[in-house]
Amino acid sequence: MHAHKLHLLTSEPPCSGCQAEPFCLQSAFSGDQLSDFKKAIRIRGPFERGETIYREGLPFNAIYFIQKGSVKTEVCTASGMLEVTAFYLIGELLGVDSIGSDHYPSDVVAMEETWLCQLSYSQLKTMCHDCDEFQQALIMRLGRTINSDVYQWALARNLKAKQKVAWFIFNLFKRIRSRQSSELRAIPLPMRKTDIANYLGLAPESLSRALHALEEEGMIVNQPKQIYLSDIQKAQSMSLI
């Protein structure tokens, strides 16, 4: 699959009305520093569903902020199979797992129409040097990413299938609810269920059985493009690691 030919907008990003603004690192800046930050940002998109944003092994030169849409990361295993390693939603950072390396460690693929804010790594380092608040905000974001993407999943891999699926549903519920509404119950699924199974290390049939079991227990209502969370407390208790 070829990477999408990007539209690159060099003007300042249209921050007013941006749904991802509450998660943007621009909140660390003020005055001239904020103006410089906005001028350094490049808008990339649109990427349509299934299009590759960047590939594993390409030289690392920038990090990205998801302004709209969602993506998955995947790597090619020694056996030649693609393995889904993470899902990223609006307001989350891409490429930070490349810091300290010369290359991107995975493919990044859009799961729906996606727009990105790009910041070059050289400018990122300059801003960290010049603005303590930005450096601190970035470190905090990196810490949360490590906790959710690495530590929590490392523990969840050892769970049984049903509990693993409950963990995934509740984790996705928390992330999407923080972006939409505290009243959220219907969890949209930008990813395919085959990708969920891949990410969880389950066969598609095992995922289907686990979803059916959770539905029979009254925790969820399983639908093609979303999962309705009927019992939040049950999901939370089942997903505890």
Side-chain angles (χ1 to χ4, degrees):
M1 186 180 297
H2 297 291
H4 185 64
K5 292 183 179 179
L6 305 184
H7 296 292
L8 173 60
L9 309 181
T10 57
S11 59
E12 288 190 13
C15 299
S16 178
C18 176
Q19 294 179 352
E21 186 176 7
F23 306 94
C24 183
L25 290 169
Q26 70 166 317
S27 59
F29 296 105
S30 61
D32 291 340
Q33 287 183 326
L34 176 58
S35 178
D36 291 342
F37 175 74
K38 289 186 176 183
K39 289 176 182 176
I41 295 296
R42 297 293 179 265
I43 307 300
R44 290 197 177 273
F47 295 93
E48 301 302 328
R49 181 183 179 93
E51 290 188 297
T52 303
I53 294 169
Y54 60 74
R55 289 196 175 278
E56 177 183 0
L58 286 179
F60 168 58
N61 56 19
I63 66 168
Y64 300 88
F65 177 80
I66 302 178
Q67 185 191 76
K68 177 185 177 183
S70 57
V71 306
K72 63 179 177 179
T73 56
E74 54 188 20
V75 297
C76 186
T77 66
S79 62
M81 301 295 290
L82 286 176
E83 180 177 312
V84 177
T85 56
F87 300 108
Y88 292 89
L89 307 177
I90 184 172
E92 296 181 335
L93 292 174
L94 285 173
V96 294
D97 53 350
S98 306
I99 295 176
S101 174
D102 295 329
H103 299 86
Y104 292 107
S106 59
D107 292 352
V108 174
V109 180
M111 297 191 296
E112 57 188 324
E113 182 181 300
T114 298
W115 288 83
L116 305 169
C117 292
Q118 175 188 299
L119 179 65
S120 74
Y121 185 46
S122 60
Q123 290 170 318
L124 175 72
K125 290 189 290 185
T126 297
M127 290 174 183
C128 284
H129 179 269
D130 294 343
C131 181
D132 290 340
E133 290 80 3
F134 177 74
Q135 183 184 70
Q136 184 63 28
L138 180 63
I139 290 172
M140 293 292 290
R141 184 71 67 88
L142 293 177
R144 289 195 295 270
T145 299
I146 291 170
N147 180 65
S148 62
D149 291 353
V150 181
Y151 176 70
Q152 290 292 318
W153 177 224
L155 296 177
R157 289 183 72 89
N158 298 317
L159 301 176
K160 294 181 179 180
K162 188 171 71 172
Q163 191 177 5
K164 195 182 290 189
V165 174
W167 170 85
F168 176 82
I169 291 171
F170 188 66
N171 179 267
L172 185 63
F173 164 73
K174 290 189 297 181
R175 290 163 67 194
I176 294 180
R177 183 175 62 173
S178 69
R179 287 156 174 77
Q180 294 188 13
S181 166
S182 60
E183 303 301 318
L184 175 77
R185 286 297 187 95
I187 309 166
L189 298 177
M191 68 289 289
R192 297 175 300 185
K193 287 180 179 174
T194 52
D195 284 335
I196 297 174
N198 184 306
Y199 173 68
L200 295 176
L202 300 173
E205 297 80 8
S206 298
L207 174 66
S208 295
R209 286 194 295 269
L211 288 169
H212 179 71
L214 293 173
E215 190 165 29
E216 287 288 302
E217 293 174 12
M219 194 190 94
I220 65 169
V221 177
N222 182 27
Q223 299 172 335
K225 298 294 185 180
Q226 67 177 23
I227 291 176
Y228 185 84
L229 189 54
S230 306
D231 192 331
I232 295 176
Q233 289 186 335
K234 185 176 180 67
Q236 182 175 21
S237 63
M238 286 192 66
S239 66
L240 290 177
I241 301 172

